Each structure stands twice: as C-alpha cells, then as structure tokens.
C-alpha cells in the first residue's frame, strides 16, 4: 500500500507526522497500582504485599512510580494528574483502585472495582474512561473476610455480590481527555447518578510531582506547586519542575517548564508534599521530615483535620469540588492542563467543544481501522480492545542496581534481599513506556505477553509495536548472556520464546499495509534474537541433545509438578512444550534470515543453520537414539513431558494438555520455485536432505504439485497431525464452544496422579496453587495459545494446498482455523439471547443498559461456558480478539 492509499484521518496524520513524539509526550502512563509491587519491595523476605500493603499506599511515597484513577503523566512521569473521589460514606478517600492480595483472595492479585477503558487514540489525543463508584461505604473488610472464608475454592466474592450496587445507588464517573495540541490537555469529568435520590460526591482532581528528591542521604531541591492566577470562572494551580537536580536521575536536559492546571473557580485548592507520613507507616516515634505529608487530603476531607498546608504550596495538590448530583441526573467538571506559554483569558470555555472535536476524530480513525464485514457489535468490541491496550501503556521506571543496593547509605536494604530475586539483572535500567498486561494486576512488563500485545497494536500504531519488540532486545533489558527478562517477579524465569514470531508477524503486517518492509527493524531485532537463541541452546538444553528443559514456560500450574522449581540432582524434566517452542523459534529465525537475504546474501547461511537446527530439534522430540522412550506417545497419539531420573528410568506425565499441542506451533513451508532466488540456501538444504535423509524423513514432508514442490516443515507428520487434531477438535477433550481448553476435559473424570500429586481438569479457578495459584492452565481457554493454533492451521492449509491437490485439504485446515477464531470472538459478542458469554450469569452485566456494553478483557476464560476469569483488565493478550476480528471479517 502506498502512502497515498493509506488512511488519511487527523489521527493518522499525527501518527505519521514530524511531531509524532510530541503528541506522545503525555499519555495514560500512570499505573493503577504501585503498592505491593516488586519495585517497591525493600523487605528481607521478598513479600511485597506485606511490605507495602494498600493501607500504606495513601501515606507512603513511592520510589519507582505513581498510581491513581484515570491518571496521565508526562513521558518521564515528572508531573502526574489523576482523579480522586469521596462519597461522604467511604472510610478513605478513593485515590486508587482496591483489590485483594494472595493471602486475602481466591487466585492472588485481584482488583475489586468496576472500571472500563472506553476509548483512546494511539497518540492519546482523545481518551475516555469510566468508573462505577458506589454511594454507600465501600465494603473493604467484607471482601477480605468472605474471600478468606472461601479459602480459594469456588468463585470469587466480587463487589457486586456485596449488594453495594443495589437499587442502582452508584455514580458513573466518566473522564475524557482531549489534547488541543501535544502539551495542552482538556479534561472533562461527567458524573451521572444512577440512583433514585440526589447524592453528594466530592471530586478531587490531583496534580503532583513524583518524588525524586527524598531518596538520597541529603534531600534534593524539590519542584513546586502553588496557587496560580485566576480569572472569570476559573482558578489555577501553577506547577514548576525547575531546572535543578530533582529530575537528574531521568535526563539531564529533561524539563517540563511551568504549566497550569485550570479548574472551576468554586474549587478549594489544597496543597501538601508527596512525602511519606513516617509516623503513620512506621510508628509515632518517627519524625516526619516535612510537616505536610502524602495523606493530608485524606485527613482533610474525610476527617476534617487541618492537614493541608495553609501556605498553599507543596509538591502535591488537588482541587476539592463538592457536587450534589440529582437522581438520574448528571454534573460536569471541566479542567485543563497546559503550559504557561498557553495562558488564555477563558481557559475552560472551549473544553466541551475540544472534547467533542477529538471524539469525532477518534470515530473517523476507527472507522478507517474496522474491517468492513464486521458487525456493529464486533466493531464496538474491537474498539474497546484497542482502548484497553492503549490505556495500558505505562512508564516503567526501574534501576535494578540501585534497587538492590538502596538509595540512601543510612538506610541500606536488608542483606538477605540481595539473594531473593533479580540479583543477576543489575544491568536492567528502564525509563521506557512499555505495554503492560494490566495496569492493576500486572503493572509491569511480561516478555511473552508483550510479544502478543504487539500484534493488535500493529493495526493502530505499527511504529509503537515495533518499538516495543525492540525494547526487550535493547542492551538495558536483554541480559549479556542473551536471555530476555521474563517479568518483574523473577526476570530469570522463562517465558516461551515467542519474540521472534512477534517480530516476523509485525514486520509482515507493517509491510502489507505500507507496501514497504522495515528492514532496519527486522535486521536489528534479528541480531539480538541470535543472542537469545544461543542462550536457549546453551542454557536450557542441558545435555545438548535438542530436547529442552524450559521451566514453567508461562503455563503456571499446567503440570503435576512446579516446573520452575529445581529438581533433585541428575533428574531432568524433558518438556514437549519447551522443545516445540524451540522448533518454532528455529523456523521463525529461518524465515527472517531469508527475508534479509533478499538484500544481503550473507544471511543465507544463517537460514541454513536454522533450517538444520529445526530438523535436529524436531527429530529429537520423536527419535532419540540409545533410549527406550520419546516425547511422542504412539499409543495415545500425543506428546507428553518425561521425567528422567539419574539411574535411567523415567516417568511419562500422561497429562493431555497444551504441553502436547505446542509442537503444532512449529510449522513452515518452503516452495522450491520461490526459494531458488537463494542459491546458497537452496544448495545447502538440498544437500542436507540428500545426505541426512534419516534425520529429515519424519519432520520435512515434501508435497508435490503440478508445477511446483513444497517442503512442509512440521514436527508432526500428516498422520500424527491428524491424530492431534482429532483430540483437539473433540468436545470431550480440548474443543470448547469458546476456543481451545488448556487441558483435556477427559481429566475431569480421569485425573492424572503422581504419588500424592494430582492433575485434573479445572475449567475455572484452580484448586491447585502451583505458582501461587494466580492463573489456571488446567482447563480454561487462553487467547495466546488458541491464537497460535489458528496461525498454525492456516499455515498447514497453505502448505498442503496446490493445483493438483484436492482443495479440500486447504479448505479443511482453513475451516478449522476459522472455527477457532469465531469461537474466541464469540466470548465477547452477544448471542441470540443478547448475552455475552464473557459475563456468565451476572444479570447486571447481561441486562443493564449501563453495564452490558462495557467490555472487560479477562486473563482467561471458563473452559465450558466462556465466562471471564483471572485478571479482569488484561487487554494485552485477550486484546488479540481485535486482530481476529480484523483478519476474519476483512
């Protein structure tokens, strides 16, 4: 597609224009939870939940990042804006979202609020967010006590279950952002009372500086907030970060300059400092370094205490606005955050018009994105999926070296914590905007999540998708050994090696849409992926036999044992999924090398290397000389993990799960006519097939056509493929009405047992608490793995198709792929009865017009009925539904 043929909406022009980076300077980069994270954990035992609980969040300054409701900040999070609320009944100011921690809830981290990302453009020129705020006191303690009583069994006790929304006694709080230009942000807050009586609400927009001044032995000069100018109908807060050392840990030349938060003139302007209330957090014997501290507004508003600074200056401020909202009515609050250079006589006068204009531009942008064959409901789902992914971009600030050593020599971290986690990642130092799985439950990057995020993100902002994939390969992330960091809880853990797949996928999406392949991006990533591949081969293939022992590989509790835990000396778990992932990795790198060889023949030899390595990996899964077992089980027609003991005997884990289907992900095809342009590669692979025929016989399958020949590279031969597909598409095993189950339903009545351990089919929350019980891979449907299976089926269809082959071969594979895609999409769309399976039997979400069209994108989905489970806002990989709608409705 030429530049002239690409969409030319206002938002597309912003994305392609010379000021793209300027438009991205402000965005939703503020987290929704910084308490209880690894970054804020300076404990001796590595328990971040106990070290920094929700109760301390309002009183304790954060070191590595701020949080808030519907928050935005600048690119380096110097200055932050977010909303706070109070209903005159809550025991605390609602400054951040509440949720349960692993010792309190059913499955680990679990947010207990109802909020929705309704819209966002890629440059955040327009954004919309919704929070449902009860008018009664929020039932904090009741949620904790009831979920503790349930002890991790059965469904979770949710906020709706408490009755706090009965009689519609709640507010819908909508927050809209619209940029007049890259630095000038209009903010419109609309509060609708859904209840039968008038109800009061306190609206407290917060503006504050992230604390960069209090961590050294000597406090650094702090930035300043103070009362700004006022005019007809408006007042203001003046923010000045100053030129000094308060931001020197970011960039020496980064400076926001003075700016104003304009508010309506009936707002009471409150000020304090974003410093820890040491007396509340650590005890009355402590001395606060400043008289006015972080939790001042809570004390001032909720308890009526004189806690705010009467001098009206500080590093944290808010505009305190009280409104009484009529029954069934609404009120609006208008604000504007703009640089001092944009001073105007009536700064709030055009907020509504600006919001309406940017909203219309967002409509035009998504009209150009939606596939024409999609239904109105599917377009609505796709737009909310994109909104969630764009809202979940966050600044990830973390210097592991400094975190391990501590900032202040007078307050060194406990020595024990240096050996708890991430001690081998001292090089990791991030000041980047990253795509996160979830802004509350997973407010940190996860390597394989991020790879999947980039596929739908490439539909709306391919440059951002490419940047994200490169960042984890950048020197400040990629380990010198070549390992990609897994996730914050343990960077050294192993996620599936899907980065090469994502790089190749996004490269091709961008090439097809623009008519040009970004070879610089592809080549840059390829060089680092070579390092990562070498790390896998040298580190994870313990005996050099091309069978891999890859840890838990993102599948949490899928096995009968915790695959992250070290095994007794000499005992090895040979993993079907680890080896299957590596076969896929080889083929991805082979295709990238061939693409680069079009411009530089030097890459042909690397393509040969990965072709051959694929053969060795694929062969090893099914044929290992000198042993009497293999990972492929001929009796069951399935791949299993094998536990091999030092004395040579072994235990086959006959658990039919995704572990045994992952080998199907390794699929590629080589058409001989197309490959002839690569003379060296063609010569080498033909020699290999001729002289190493016994190795390739079962993993490289030639398909003859009338005018061409195709070499189909699959770990499984056609007969084995058929046997796997029979199980996969059997409703009594893997096939759910809503995608592929992560474990065969057969294990519901026939659990697998190993000693005292048991694995059985669990379609919802798991009783098993391996990996903390936070995610369940023993039955639910997961988007990333079903998405990859759809990709494999499409490739198989193309690989086996040809003019002299019955078209039914391709049609069957494509039909199976389309069937899976439609089942995933059907999780979110309304069925014939108007129900969305994602919301199960929750009447409020199914029938209430103020709830039923707000989509939550869950972490995983019930294996039988499709209802959402786990993290409720993990738009990251459940956002893949946007790609499915794009590809199967176009």
């Amino acid at each position: 597609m030429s530049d002239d043929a690409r969409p030319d909406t206002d938002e597309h022009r912003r994305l392609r224009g010379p000021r793209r980076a300027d438009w991205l300077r402000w965005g939703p980069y503020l987290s929704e939870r910084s308490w209880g994270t690894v970054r804020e954990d300076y404990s001796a035992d590595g328990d971040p939940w106990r070290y920094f609980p929700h109760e301390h969040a309002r009183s304790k300054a954060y070191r590595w990042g701020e949080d808030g409701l519907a928050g935005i900040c600048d690119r380096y999070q110097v200055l932050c804006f977010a909303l706070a609320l109070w209903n005159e009944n809550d025991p605390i100011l609602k400054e951040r979202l509440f949720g349960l921690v692993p010792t309190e809830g059913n499955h680990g981290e679990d947010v207990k609020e109802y909020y929705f990302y309704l819209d966002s453009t890629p440059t955040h020129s327009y954004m919309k967010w919704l929070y449902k705020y009860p008018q009664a006191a929020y039932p904090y303690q009741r949620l904790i006590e009831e979920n503790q009583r349930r002890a991790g069994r059965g469904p979770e006790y949710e906020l709706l279950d408490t009755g706090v929304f009965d009689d519609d006694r709640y507010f819908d709080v909508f927050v809209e952002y619209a940029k007049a230009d890259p630095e000038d942000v209009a903010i419109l807050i609309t509060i609708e009372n859904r209840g039968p009586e008038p109800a009061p609400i306190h609206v407290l927009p917060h503006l504050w500086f992230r604390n960069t001044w209090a961590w050294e032995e000597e406090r650094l000069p702090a930035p300043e907030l103070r009362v700004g100018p006022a005019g007809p109908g408006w007042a203001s807060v003046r923010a000045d970060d100053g030129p000094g050392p308060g931001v020197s840990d970011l960039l020496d030349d980064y400076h926001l300059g003075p700016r104003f938060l304009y508010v309506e003139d009936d707002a009471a302007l409150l000020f304090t400092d974003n410093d820890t209330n040491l007396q509340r957090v650590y005890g009355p014997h402590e001395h606060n370094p400043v008289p006015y501290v972080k939790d001042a507004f809570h004390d001032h508003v909720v308890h009526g205490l004189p806690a705010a600074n009467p001098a009206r200056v500080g590093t944290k401020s808010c505009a305190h606005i009280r409104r009484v909202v009529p029954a069934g009515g609404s009120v609006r609050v208008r604000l504007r955050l703009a640089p001092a250079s944009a001073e105007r006589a009536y700064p709030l006068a055009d907020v509504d018009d600006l919001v309406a204009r940017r909203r219309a531009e967002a409509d035009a942008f998504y009209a150009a994105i939606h596939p024409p064959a999609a239904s109105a409901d599917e377009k609505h789902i796709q737009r909310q999926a994109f909104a969630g992914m764009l809202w979940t971009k966050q600044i990830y600030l973390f210097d592991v070296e400094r975190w391990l050593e501590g900032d202040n020599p007078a307050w060194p971290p406990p020595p024990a914590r240096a050996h708890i986690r991430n001690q081998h990642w001292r090089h990791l130092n991030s000041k980047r905007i990253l795509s996160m799985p979830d802004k509350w439950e997973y407010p940190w990057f996860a390597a394989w999540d991020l790879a999947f995020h980039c596929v739908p993100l490439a539909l709306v902002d391919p440059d951002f998708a490419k940047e994200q994939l490169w960042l984890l390969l950048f020197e400040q992330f990629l380990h010198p050994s070549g390992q990609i960091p897994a996730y914050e809880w343990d960077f050294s853990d192993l996620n599936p090696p899907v980065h090469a797949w994502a790089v190749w996928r996004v490269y091709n999406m961008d090439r097809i849409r623009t008519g040009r392949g970004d070879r610089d991006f592809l080549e840059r990533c390829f060089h680092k992926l070579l390092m990562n591949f070498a790390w896998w081969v040298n580190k994870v293939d313990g005996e050099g036999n091309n069978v891999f022992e890859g840890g838990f590989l993102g599948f949490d509790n899928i096995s009968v044992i915790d695959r992250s835990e070290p095994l007794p000396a000499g005992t090895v778990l040979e993993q079907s999924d680890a080896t299957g992932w590596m076969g896929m990795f080889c083929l991805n790198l082979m295709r990238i090398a061939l693409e680069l060889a079009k411009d530089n023949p030097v890459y042909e030899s690397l393509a040969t290397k990965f072709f051959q390595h694929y053969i060795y990996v694929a062969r090893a899964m099914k044929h290992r000389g000198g042993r009497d077992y293999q990972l492929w089980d001929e009796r069951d027609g399935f791949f299993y993990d094998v536990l091999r003991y030092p004395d040579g005997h072994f235990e086959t884990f006959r658990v039919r799960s995704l572990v045994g289907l992952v080998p199907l992900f390794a699929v590629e095809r080589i058409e001989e006519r197309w490959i002839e342009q690569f003379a060296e590669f063609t010569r080498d692979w033909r020699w290999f097939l001729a002289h190493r025929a016994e190795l390739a016989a079962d993993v490289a399958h030639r398909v003859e056509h009338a005018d061409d020949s195709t070499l189909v590279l699959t770990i499984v031969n056609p007969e084995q493929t058929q046997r796997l597909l029979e199980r996969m598409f059997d409703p009594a095993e893997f096939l759910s009405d809503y995608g592929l189950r992560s474990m065969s339903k057969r294990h519901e009545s026939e659990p697998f047992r190993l000693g005292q351990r048991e694995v059985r089919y669990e379609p919802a929350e798991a009783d098993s608490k391996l990996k903390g019980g936070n995610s369940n891979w023993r039955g639910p449907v997961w988007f990333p793995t079903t998405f990859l299976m759809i990709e494999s089926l499409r490739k198989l269809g193309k690989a086996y198709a040809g003019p002299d082959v019955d078209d039914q071969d391709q049609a069957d594979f494509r039909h199976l792929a389309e069937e899976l895609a439609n089942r995933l999409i059907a999780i979110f769309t309304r069925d014939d009865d108007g129900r969305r399976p994602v919301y199960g039997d929750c009447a409020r979400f199914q029938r209430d017009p103020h709830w039923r069209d707000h989509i939550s994108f869950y972490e995983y989905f019930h294996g039988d009925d499709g209802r959402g489970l786990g993290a409720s806002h993990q738009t990251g990989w459940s956002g893949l539904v946007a790609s499915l709608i794009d590809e199967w409705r176009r």
Side-chain angles (χ1 to χ4, degrees), residues 82-86 93 202-206 270 297 301 318-321:
L83 183 64
L85 301 164
W86 190 52
L93 204 63
H202 296 243
V203 184
L204 300 103
H206 279 42
L270 304 178
F297 303 154
V301 175
C318 79
H320 183 194
I321 305 163

Side-chain angles (χ1 to χ4, degrees), residues 708-755:
D708 198 3
S709 178
T710 298
L711 191 68
V712 183
L713 305 178
T714 63
I715 290 174
V716 288
N717 61 32
E719 179 186 352
Q720 292 166 334
T721 299
Q722 184 61 35
R723 295 187 71 184
L724 286 173
L725 291 180
E726 286 173 359
R727 296 204 182 279
M728 190 191 312
F729 284 89
D730 181 353
E733 293 222 36
F734 287 97
L735 186 63
S736 164
D737 288 342
Y738 304 99
L740 285 181
R741 300 181 178 105
S742 47
M743 185 168 289
S744 170
K745 192 173 173 64
R746 181 184 72 95
H747 290 303
E748 189 171 38
S749 58
E750 301 175 32
F752 173 80
R753 294 184 176 88
L754 179 68

